[in-house]
Amino acid sequence: MIYYGLTIREQDEMVWGSFDQLENLGFFKHWITTRKGGVSKNSFAELNLADHVGDDEEAVNKNREKVSHILCGSGNIYLPRQVHGTRIIVPARESKECDGDVLIMTEPGVAGGILTADCLPVIMADPVNKIVALVHAGRAGLFALILKKTVEEMERVYKTYPADLVVGIGPGIRSCCYEVGEEIFEGEFDGFKKFWNSDGKLDMIFAANSQLLEAGILMTNIHDSEICTSCQDNVFFSHRAQKGKAGRFMTGAVIQK
């Protein structure tokens, strides 16, 4: 089943989506979970995967185990402590959880994920060098040029050619729902005001696409899920729509052995 820009799959009541354009590259598997198929209750129902939002710890662990079992053969999924920064982590080199908002997957069999509930989860795949970046791109990250910096790091360290990258932008809050005040653009962020429309809404997709194109990625290689988490908060968690009491869904990836 196609849901906006994602192909939807289901197993054991758990529902997740993926981009055909990324899956067709053939060297890695990725997933974007939904709220469906977990054991959490109330505002965290059902498949909350975050352990820092006030959900029952046992429920979160069961949800994570289910995702791991179904999507990566019960292997460990590396999850960073997201801090709305631009630090890049390579899970293959880390033995414990670290602060960071970008994962670069370099080794087959090492799975990683980022957790979101309105921020944009962005997947960047390099089919030539067979590496994948997972980016947690909220407003703060976009204002700090997190997407551009990720591409530059892939180019510098792994010899990625930006025009080879294939990108998927997952579910996040859209300009239809993301109302912000003009004060957020004061000082060094004034240049981002062009992404703020006359209704007081910030268009993070416009900002993300602009940053990706500036980094050298081809427009034809950028694929958008077209899903607003605030509009679709019955399917994906939304921090805004749920008034700050929301779980988190996972965007994850693993390079195939």
Side-chain angles (χ1 to χ4, degrees), residues 18-215:
S18 62
F19 291 94
D20 287 345
Q21 298 91 340
L22 296 178
E23 287 291 303
N24 291 341
L25 296 177
F27 75 95
F28 78 107
K29 178 180 181 179
H30 75 285
W31 56 87
I32 302 172
T33 64
T34 67
R35 298 183 64 161
K36 309 299 182 182
V39 298
S40 293
K41 305 294 184 185
N42 303 317
S43 60
F44 305 117
E46 303 166 10
L47 193 66
N48 168 48
L49 297 166
D51 60 5
H52 66 283
V53 295
D55 193 6
D56 178 71
E57 183 179 351
E58 184 178 354
V60 174
N61 288 336
K62 287 182 178 179
N63 290 341
R64 289 182 174 184
E65 287 170 6
K66 186 171 187 176
V67 170
S68 174
H69 173 70
I70 291 176
L71 296 175
C72 49
S74 297
N76 181 60
I77 300 176
Y78 184 92
L79 298 171
R81 287 189 300 266
Q82 296 167 194
V83 294
H84 295 278
T86 60
R87 185 185 176 203
I88 295 171
I89 299 170
V90 180
R93 300 176 188 165
E94 300 293 344
S95 58
K96 60 182 180 179
E97 188 180 77
C98 297
D99 292 350
D101 292 271
V102 181
L103 300 181
I104 295 185
M105 319 302 298
T106 61
E107 297 295 328
V110 178
I114 54 174
L115 304 177
T116 57
D118 278 341
C119 295
L120 296 178
V122 181
I123 307 169
M124 302 183 185
D126 177 351
V128 176
N129 295 290
K130 293 184 168 50
I131 60 172
V132 180
L134 301 174
V135 187
H136 164 234
R139 174 174 58 82
L142 287 173
F143 281 16
L145 304 179
I146 191 170
L147 298 178
K148 184 173 181 286
K149 289 176 180 177
T150 300
V151 175
E152 289 173 347
E153 180 75 358
M154 295 173 78
E155 188 173 13
R156 182 182 70 83
V157 178
Y158 303 101
K159 310 307 178 186
T160 293
Y161 182 49
D164 290 333
L165 285 170
V166 182
V167 177
I169 302 176
I173 195 167
R174 306 278 160 151
S175 58
C176 52
C177 297
Y178 193 21
E179 187 172 354
V180 297
E182 188 172 7
E183 68 277 359
I184 70 168
F185 303 104
E186 291 178 357
E188 62 182 307
F189 302 129
D190 184 68
F192 288 87
K193 199 171 181 180
K194 61 186 175 183
F195 305 118
W196 189 58
N197 64 33
S198 58
D199 294 328
K201 308 287 181 57
L202 180 62
D203 191 339
M204 293 211 299
I205 300 301
F206 183 14
N209 279 331
S210 296
Q211 208 167 120
L212 292 168
L213 292 172
E214 184 179 338

Side-chain angles (χ1 to χ4, degrees), residues 219-247:
M219 191 67 207
T220 52
N221 284 349
I222 302 173
H223 307 284
D224 184 9
S225 65
E226 301 182 357
I227 297 170
C228 175
T229 45
S230 183
C231 291
Q232 304 291 329
D233 67 314
N234 61 321
V235 181
F236 297 92
F237 294 107
S238 171
H239 186 266
R240 281 219 167 190
Q242 296 179 249
K243 304 187 187 311
K245 195 69 172 178

